[in-house]
Structure formats: C-alpha cells, structure tokens
Amino acid sequence: MKRLLFYLLLILQIAILFLFGVQYYFIDDYGRTVQLLSKHEEMTDTYGSYNQHTAYIDYEINFIAADAWEIAEEVDYNTKIYVLLDADSDGVFHVVKATDRKIDAEQDQVVFQGKYQYYNDMQKEYHVTYGIESFHPDFDFDHSGRNQSRITVQLAPWGQKKVTHIENLQ
C-alpha cells in the first residue's frame, strides 16, 4: 500500500512539473488577445548576444493616474495590484482603475495582476509592472523604430501573460 501511494505521488509530481513546463505554450490556445500601447517613443531597447535579445517596453498601462488609483492607504513596493482595463473603439486597452483587491471584469474588460513600484509625485501617477516589460521575443519585429508601438499580449485564464507581436505605429 505504501509503495502504491509512493508511485501515485511520484506520478502526480511529474504531471505537475510537466504542466508547469507547457503552460506557456497553452497561452496561445486558451488566452485572450489584448492590444496595448507603448508609453514612450523609445519603447524598445534590445541587448544581448547575437542569438538572444531582450526587449524592454514601458506600456501606457504601467503608469496609472491618481484618479484611477482606488487604494486608500499607502502600499509597499511589490504589493500585488489588480488593474482593470477596458478596450477603446480601436481595440486598445487602457486603465479604468487599480486596486489591491480582486476585481471582476465585464465582457469587454480584462484584469491584469501587477506589482506596485513607486509613486511619481511630479506626474501624479503610480507605476505598476506586470511581468511583460522585459522579455525574449520568439518572433521577428522591427526594433529600429522609436515611435509608439501597439503590442499584442495573450492573457491566459490563469493570469499568465505573453507578448506575441509588436507593431510600430507611424
């Protein structure tokens, strides 16, 4: 009996490790497509060796205006923040509100989970990161342009995010 239980637990552990390994690839099949805009003209910097580049993007949704910040008390660095996004007529998502409690999204909205970084007193905005600001692109994109870009992100039902396309806007 103990041996059977040992083998069942071993198989369960292997299955869980396998699921952790492949969940990134399931995002394309089960994820929701979200269009975002970059914040700055110089939105992408690539660095690294010939084979491996890392892109860094500041999104508009990284910077949350004080009137959309629905948290009454001061929060600590890296505090979990829930940001409600709504699509405009072009299909680009923008911040509606941010809170430290889970939010229910309506049909045309999504919720991104992020981490609080800091408050910019001069700009009167909060800075939140989502884990998609720095990534290794597994697709070709023109990183020579320094204009604003539209970034396609896949959002999985379990909250994981993946950048799938970058389009420079002229």
Side-chain angles (χ1 to χ4, degrees), residues 17-164:
L17 288 174
F18 174 76
L19 287 175
F20 278 131
V22 299
Q23 72 178 348
Y24 180 80
Y25 300 101
F26 287 139
I27 295 173
D28 293 333
D29 296 331
Y30 299 103
R32 179 171 178 183
T33 301
V34 177
Q35 302 284 324
L36 303 172
L37 293 177
S38 61
K39 173 73 172 178
H40 303 294
E41 286 184 15
E42 294 188 26
M43 69 91 187
T44 305
D45 290 322
T46 57
Y47 51 90
S49 67
Y50 173 75
N51 293 352
Q52 187 172 359
H53 289 285
T54 300
Y56 183 82
I57 299 174
D58 273 335
Y59 300 90
E60 284 186 346
I61 65 169
N62 288 122
F63 306 91
I64 301 172
D67 60 347
W69 191 257
E70 295 186 3
I71 302 173
E73 57 193 49
E74 190 172 324
V75 293
D76 294 327
Y77 176 77
N78 272 347
T79 297
K80 188 183 299 185
I81 303 295
Y82 299 92
V83 180
L84 181 66
L85 306 175
D86 197 4
D88 64 14
S89 60
D90 293 330
V92 176
F93 283 79
H94 304 280
V95 173
V96 174
K97 68 178 179 178
T99 182
D100 55 351
R101 292 181 300 276
K102 287 190 176 185
I103 306 171
D104 290 326
E106 294 179 13
Q107 186 171 354
D108 294 335
Q109 299 175 328
V110 296
V111 176
F112 271 27
Q113 184 177 309
K115 292 185 178 182
Y116 171 74
Q117 300 301 300
Y118 61 86
Y119 176 70
N120 183 331
D121 195 36
M122 292 183 66
Q123 300 293 327
K124 303 290 186 225
E125 62 189 13
Y126 296 86
H127 188 253
V128 174
T129 58
Y130 302 96
I132 53 173
E133 291 77 17
S134 180
F135 61 96
H136 298 286
D138 56 358
F139 55 89
D140 292 328
F141 70 97
D142 177 16
H143 60 277
S144 62
R146 296 298 187 191
N147 297 321
Q148 188 175 42
S149 296
R150 180 190 309 248
I151 299 96
T152 303
V153 175
Q154 289 294 113
L155 175 64
W158 53 91
Q160 193 172 6
K161 298 171 273 308
K162 174 181 175 182
V163 176
T164 58

